[in-house]
Amino acid sequence: MLLHEITLENFGAYKGANSLTLSPKSGRPIILIGGLNGCGKTTLLDAIQLALYGSRARCSGRGARSYESFLRDSVNRQAEPKEASVTLRFSVTIEGAERQYEVERSWKINGKTVPESLRVFIDGKHDKAVSTNWANYIEDLLPLEVASLFFFDGEKIESLADPERAAPVIESAVQSLLGVSTVEQLRTDLLALQRRQKVTQEYKDARDEIDRIESQLVQNEVARADAYQRIASINSGLHQERKELATVEAMFAKQGGELFRRRAELESLRSQASKRLESLNETLASVASGPLPLLLLSDQIRALKEQVTREEEAARAERVLDALKVRDDELLALLSSDASPAQMSRILEYLEKDRDMRASSTDVARVLNMSASGIQQINSLDHVLEAESVRARTLLTEAGELRDELQSLDRQLAGVPAEEAIADLVAQQDKARQRVVSLERELATAQEAHATHDREREQLTAARDRAYAKYAKGLAETEHRERVVTYSDRARTTLEKFGELLLQRHINRLEVAVLESFKRLMRKEGLVQDLRIDTEKFTLTLIGADEDEINPARLSAGERQLLAVSLLWGLARVAGNRLPSVIDTPLGRLDSRHRQNLVQRYFPYASEQVLLLSTDKEIDDQLLQELIPAIARTYTLVHDDHTFTTKIENGYGWGKTQYVA
């Protein structure tokens, strides 16, 4: 895993967005970040852990507070709105392929609550599923227990300086980081498998289930038979009642009962028909008072139309003759100068003959001399009379049908029997119908009960079949379970031996790695000749040159701190994980020689990526010069005592040496 960039927005003392590029360079693994006490160095370490682990992060400033209180207090006081975020970009090589991750964790103060949001991007794409299950996902990439061995500050180094207090760290590291816990987990899983085999008695339960179902089937069969008998009894009574009802209804119909029931309806229909007939008669009278009587004078009207046509044509011919006379005179005047006398004579003869022929059509006696509107009315009279004739025939047909309907209704009403003559039959019919309806309801209830028992029998039969199948399977699996228990015992014994050997092997490797690291960091190279770790208590024992144990009290505070660093370094070397080391204020209690040893022999080789958080008193000018060949990037955290905010500047150094990587 390599960290590439972290962005803090309104987190702690960091107001607004503040980003640090953390990528190392070839042969230069160190990212040096300097700052005075209280500038926010530890806040950076907390931000990395918070982005990865959320509420499970072991942040130094949280203490006993709840996670929500910690988030609320982490929002910069001057931030508006009251919200903050931490974004971490890193890469992990999985099965030979490098994948880029970006984890964005944000939260805001919303009254009494502080809702948190988490978004995870993989290779630049937002992955909702991974975002939802990030707590489990990050455990596969970098377990929290493992991360605690690579993200540490001076306080953790101080706590590990005591060999007795280092025992839990050694045990946790060996179990989780070196894979010993996996063997023990396998033994635990096998034990759980054995217990499940021992307590499983499905075939016995199946036998009890079969007996119970058989008893229920017997009860069901009795209930089904009772329901069937009930249906047969009701059907018999219902058949008799329906027969009696049919007899009463036949007698009722014979006595005119249907007409009696429909009397009010028939009277209403007759009243409606009578009113419609009266309205039709009024409409017919209105039609008869209009132009309709003119149909009796069809011949006279036809002769009148012919006379009007002749007079109209004669008048039109007279108007044409007058126009032709004017035209002929104008034509003769035009031709008189050009035509010869013979030609003029022939033209004149033709024109007179044409006028005489036209004048013969005007010889008509003028009797009517009808106006234009009168002519229009006489011409449209046929259409009017035709429409009125059709309307009259329609009305007459409808009136005839209504009279027939009235006669039919009168006949039906005449056949309606008196109420006192049929009252007894009405009562008999009502009682018979009620008995039929009651029996039909009883029959439906009995049929539903029978159907319910049928469905219950089908379900019980299916359950019995499943129980028999389970019983047979249980009998067949009994021997298999016994074999599982036997083989699990053997496997657990083997895993126990394997775990002991694996633990011993890792402990031996860890002893060598820690001892080698300690000797590289110590200036008293002959002080410690050997180092041993107990495989049960995980306590660390130092052996001096005389083969005697060295009491930790003989070591100075600085030497014990170097021992803690050696322990962490040795664990990282044995694990072989390509994980970044984040080290906060590691040189607080060391003298100059020990500091120089750490700078020369540990920091450049602790990991492929080392985030070193230092004060001005730890990495001074001299040590900075020692570190420069291994430094990839440098930053300084500058705190403003008036605004209580921190900003990030490139470069490192407070004394004579100001170095910008």
Side-chain angles (χ1 to χ4, degrees):
M1 170 185 284
L2 286 179
L3 306 178
H4 294 295
E5 183 181 68
I6 185 168
T7 300
L8 296 83
E9 185 168 358
N10 295 327
F11 182 66
Y14 296 89
K15 181 182 178 182
N18 296 267
S19 298
L20 287 90
T21 300
L22 305 177
S23 302
K25 298 178 182 178
S26 179
R28 293 173 175 259
I30 297 178
I31 312 297
L32 180 60
I33 302 172
L36 302 179
N37 291 330
C39 286
K41 297 188 300 301
T42 304
T43 302
L44 276 177
L45 180 59
D46 289 346
I48 296 174
Q49 297 184 80
L50 181 64
L52 293 175
Y53 301 105
S55 61
R56 299 185 301 128
R58 297 169 180 173
C59 298
S60 60
R62 178 174 175 179
R65 288 177 296 171
S66 67
Y67 182 58
E68 187 173 278
S69 298
F70 172 70
L71 292 181
R72 181 187 296 273
D73 295 342
S74 296
V75 178
N76 186 273
R77 297 177 182 178
Q78 302 180 30
E80 287 296 337
K82 294 296 184 181
E83 55 187 27
S85 67
V86 176
T87 304
L88 180 66
R89 288 198 309 106
F90 62 93
S91 62
V92 178
T93 300
I94 301 176
E95 296 180 354
E98 185 178 69
R99 303 189 70 179
Q100 301 289 332
Y101 290 83
E102 181 176 330
V103 181
E104 178 188 288
R105 192 180 297 272
S106 60
W107 62 96
K108 61 180 178 180
I109 300 176
N110 186 8
K112 295 183 179 181
T113 63
V114 186
E116 182 188 49
S117 173
L118 176 66
R119 297 197 305 163
V120 179
F121 298 82
I122 301 178
D123 294 333
K125 296 181 180 179
H126 180 221
D127 195 315
K128 293 182 179 179
V130 172
S131 300
T132 303
N133 298 286
W134 177 249
N136 295 326
Y137 193 89
I138 188 60
E139 282 299 310
D140 293 332
L141 294 180
L142 180 60
L144 178 60
E145 292 297 330
V146 174
S148 66
L149 301 175
F150 292 86
F151 301 160
F152 52 89
D153 55 17
E155 293 182 3
K156 172 175 277 190
I157 295 175
E158 184 70 23
S159 66
L160 295 178
D162 183 353
E164 293 295 330
R165 296 174 64 184
V169 176
I170 298 174
E171 181 179 7
S172 174
V174 171
Q175 295 293 337
S176 60
L177 188 60
L178 304 182
V180 176
S181 61
T182 304
V183 177
E184 186 59 32
Q185 184 62 47
L186 284 173
R187 296 185 70 248
T188 303
D189 292 343
L190 285 171
L191 181 59
L193 176 62
Q194 287 178 304
R195 289 173 177 171
R196 288 198 298 271
Q197 302 303 320
K198 291 179 181 179
V199 300
T200 300
Q201 297 182 353
E202 291 185 2
Y203 69 98
K204 292 184 179 180
D205 295 339
R207 180 67 263 179
D208 295 340
E209 182 74 5
I210 291 170
D211 294 339
R212 183 183 63 81
I213 293 173
E214 290 288 0
S215 176
Q216 291 179 343
L217 280 171
V218 172
Q219 297 174 8
N220 174 266
E221 190 61 34
V222 173
R224 285 181 65 254
D226 291 343
Y228 185 78
Q229 290 295 330
R230 177 68 177 157
I231 291 172
S233 176
I234 295 173
N235 268 326
S236 177
L238 182 59
H239 177 73
Q240 186 63 33
E241 291 296 336
R242 283 174 175 170
K243 187 176 180 180
E244 185 175 343
L245 176 60
T247 301
V248 174
E249 287 180 340
M251 189 178 299
F252 183 76
K254 185 177 181 181
Q255 296 294 328
E258 289 301 321
L259 291 176
F260 175 78
R261 291 188 183 279
R262 295 185 60 219
R263 180 172 62 184
E265 178 187 354
L266 293 173
E267 289 176 348
S268 176
L269 291 174
R270 190 188 185 289
S271 175
Q272 295 174 10
S274 178
K275 289 179 181 179
R276 291 203 306 273
L277 181 59
E278 183 179 350
S279 176
L280 280 175
N281 288 333
E282 292 176 357
T283 304
L284 281 170
S286 175
V287 171
S289 65
L292 192 62
L294 292 177
L295 288 173
L296 301 174
L297 302 175
S298 300
D299 294 339
Q300 290 82 351
I301 291 175
R302 186 167 50 256
L304 177 63
K305 290 177 65 178
E306 291 175 355
Q307 179 63 27
V308 167
T309 301
R310 287 196 296 272
E311 289 184 6
E312 186 180 12
E313 290 177 352
R316 191 162 48 249
E318 287 179 353
R319 290 193 295 274
V320 170
L321 285 175
D322 292 339
L324 290 177
K325 181 66 170 68
V326 174
R327 184 205 63 184
D328 292 347
D329 291 343
E330 292 176 353
L331 181 61
L332 291 173
L334 291 172
L335 296 175
S336 61
S337 60
D338 295 330
S340 63
Q343 291 174 331
M344 288 295 293
S345 175
R346 287 197 297 272
I347 292 172
L348 183 60
E349 181 181 358
Y350 171 77
L351 294 175
E352 289 178 351
K353 184 177 179 180
D354 179 67
R355 288 197 299 275
D356 290 342
M357 182 181 67
R358 294 178 179 275
S360 62
S361 62
T362 64
D363 188 14
V364 176
R366 309 297 174 84
V367 178
L368 300 175
N369 289 321
M370 189 173 290
S371 64
S373 62
I375 293 172
Q376 185 177 4
Q377 290 179 4
I378 200 68
N379 286 333
S380 63
L381 186 58
D382 287 343
H383 299 289
V384 174
L385 290 177
E386 178 64 23
E388 289 295 307
S389 176
V390 171
R391 183 184 179 196
R393 285 195 295 272
T394 302
L395 292 172
L396 288 171
T397 300
E398 187 174 351
E401 293 174 350
L402 283 174
R403 281 191 290 273
D404 293 340
E405 182 179 348
L406 282 172
Q407 290 177 4
S408 174
L409 291 171
D410 286 338
R411 285 194 299 272
Q412 293 182 62
L413 287 170
V416 174
E419 183 175 354
E420 59 273 9
I422 204 169
D424 186 54
L425 284 174
V426 171
Q428 292 181 33
Q429 188 182 45
D430 289 342
K431 289 181 181 179
R433 185 173 290 113
Q434 288 175 3
R435 290 195 298 272
V436 169
V437 171
S438 177
L439 287 173
E440 286 177 343
R441 283 199 294 266
E442 289 184 30
L443 178 62
T445 302
Q447 288 174 336
E448 177 59 29
H450 188 269
T452 300
H453 293 315
D454 277 342
R455 290 192 295 270
E456 183 182 356
R457 183 181 64 172
E458 292 176 359
Q459 293 171 359
L460 288 172
T461 302
R464 183 181 60 183
D465 292 341
R466 290 194 297 271
Y468 271 119
K470 188 185 296 184
Y471 179 70
K473 182 180 179 182
L475 291 175
E477 290 181 351
T478 301
E479 295 182 359
H480 171 70
R481 293 193 182 103
E482 292 176 352
R483 288 194 298 271
V484 169
V485 172
T486 301
Y487 293 150
S488 295
D489 280 334
R490 296 178 184 174
R492 292 185 71 249
T493 301
T494 302
L495 285 172
E496 183 178 8
K497 295 179 180 179
F498 174 74
E500 293 174 355
L501 293 174
L502 181 64
L503 175 61
Q504 187 62 56
R505 178 187 177 191
H506 284 320
I507 289 295
N508 292 340
R509 293 174 59 205
L510 184 59
E511 289 171 344
V512 173
V514 173
L515 179 61
E516 181 182 341
S517 300
F518 187 56
K519 287 183 175 181
R520 289 179 64 179
L521 297 179
M522 282 287 291
R523 67 172 185 269
K524 300 177 183 178
E525 297 182 358
L527 177 63
V528 177
Q529 295 298 322
D530 197 4
L531 181 148
R532 297 168 189 170
I533 298 175
D534 187 271
T535 57
E536 294 183 0
K537 298 180 180 180
F538 295 95
T539 54
L540 190 147
T541 303
L542 302 178
I543 307 298
D546 54 2
E547 297 295 328
D548 291 334
E549 293 186 8
I550 298 177
N551 190 328
R554 289 177 53 190
L555 299 178
S556 66
E559 290 170 341
R560 287 197 299 270
Q561 189 169 353
L562 288 180
L563 178 61
V565 172
S566 301
L567 175 61
L568 294 172
W569 191 10
L571 284 170
R573 292 170 60 191
V574 171
N577 290 314
R578 297 176 58 219
L579 296 176
S581 291
V582 183
I583 309 171
D584 184 13
T585 58
L587 306 179
R589 301 186 62 179
L590 298 179
D591 57 28
S592 60
R593 180 65 179 276
H594 287 146
R595 290 186 181 192
Q596 188 170 12
N597 285 349
L598 277 180
V599 168
Q600 293 177 344
R601 304 175 184 181
Y602 174 56
F603 293 149
Y605 310 103
S607 175
E608 293 185 5
Q609 181 182 39
V610 179
L611 272 63
L612 191 57
L613 308 173
S614 170
T615 65
D616 59 333
K617 297 299 183 181
E618 292 183 295
I619 306 297
D620 54 17
D621 288 354
Q622 179 183 352
L623 296 180
L624 177 61
Q625 291 292 339
E626 297 279 355
L627 278 179
I628 284 177
I631 295 177
R633 304 179 191 278
T634 53
Y635 299 100
T636 299
L637 308 181
V638 180
H639 188 70
D640 189 328
D641 294 333
H642 297 289
T643 62
F644 301 102
T645 59
T646 295
K647 63 180 180 179
I648 302 170
E649 296 181 354
N650 287 324
Y652 180 92
W654 285 271
K656 299 179 181 179
T657 303
Q658 298 287 330
Y659 178 66
V660 179

